[in-house]
Amino acid sequence: MGYHMNLISIAALSDNYIWLLHDAQHRCVIVDPGEAEPVLQALPKHQLTPVAVLLTHHHSDHVTGVPDIQKTYPDLPIYGPEETAQHGATRILRDSDHIQLLNSDFSVFSVPGHTLGHISYYSAPYLFCGDTLFSAGCGRIFEGIPNQLHE
């Protein structure tokens, strides 16, 4: 990672977080916007300009905010796995892809299990893994099998 970045968590729904990763120039990436309103309130509050949205998987608590964010920022690229195309992803990513955002390289990893198309984004020291890994366990398996999640 080339530049110092800061992470802001936004509480969403009853048990989720939306993440804003921003650099010193106040540019940010929005991660898994399960709802739009808290994001659209946080951006001006923190004087941030979004440069992209990162989606990890297709579940509604991670993508429902995309349409309203797109209305406000129509040229904003929305990155995600194939399963998020129907939820607004405009740039489809796969395992081993790399994207450059905020002067940093983000590696994309396929992490099926919670959903079959689930992906994670890594740019040291930040890992955005959606519902794959938690501090006290792993995400519930909806579409895959335990061995997929383990791998």
Side-chain angles (χ1 to χ4, degrees), residues 43-95:
L43 293 172
K45 175 183 174 186
H46 296 285
Q47 299 175 351
L48 297 175
T49 301
V51 297
V53 172
L54 302 180
L55 303 176
T56 59
H57 65 290
H58 67 87
H59 286 163
S60 63
D61 59 336
H62 292 255
V63 301
T64 299
V66 170
D68 287 339
I69 292 169
Q70 284 178 310
K71 286 177 191 167
T72 304
Y73 301 96
D75 297 325
L76 194 64
I78 314 292
Y79 293 91
E82 182 68 41
E83 66 182 34
T84 61
Q86 66 190 24
H87 300 284
T90 57
R91 303 197 182 168
I92 303 304
L93 299 172
R94 291 169 185 75
D95 188 53

Side-chain angles (χ1 to χ4, degrees), residues 18-21 28-33 39 43 50 52-54 69 76:
I18 300 166
W19 302 101
L20 301 178
L21 182 65
C28 75
V29 173
I30 304 164
V31 183
D32 281 345
V39 173
L43 293 172
V53 172
L54 302 180
I69 292 169
L76 194 64

Side-chain angles (χ1 to χ4, degrees), residues 39-150:
V39 173
L40 297 174
Q41 290 175 4
L43 293 172
K45 175 183 174 186
H46 296 285
Q47 299 175 351
L48 297 175
T49 301
V51 297
V53 172
L54 302 180
L55 303 176
T56 59
H57 65 290
H58 67 87
H59 286 163
S60 63
D61 59 336
H62 292 255
V63 301
T64 299
V66 170
D68 287 339
I69 292 169
Q70 284 178 310
K71 286 177 191 167
T72 304
Y73 301 96
D75 297 325
L76 194 64
I78 314 292
Y79 293 91
E82 182 68 41
E83 66 182 34
T84 61
Q86 66 190 24
H87 300 284
T90 57
R91 303 197 182 168
I92 303 304
L93 299 172
R94 291 169 185 75
D95 188 53
S96 301
D97 282 346
H98 290 264
I99 53 175
Q100 299 292 318
L101 297 168
L102 306 176
N103 294 316
S104 296
D105 180 68
F106 286 79
S107 301
V108 177
F109 297 94
S110 175
V111 288
H114 181 68
T115 70
L116 294 177
H118 201 300
I119 61 173
S120 293
Y121 303 87
Y122 178 68
S123 182
Y126 301 103
L127 173 66
F128 298 106
C129 58
D131 286 344
T132 298
L133 183 65
F134 296 89
S135 60
C138 64
R140 186 171 166 199
I141 300 170
F142 285 101
E143 298 172 10
I145 59 174
N147 286 345
Q148 284 178 310
L149 192 58
H150 180 263

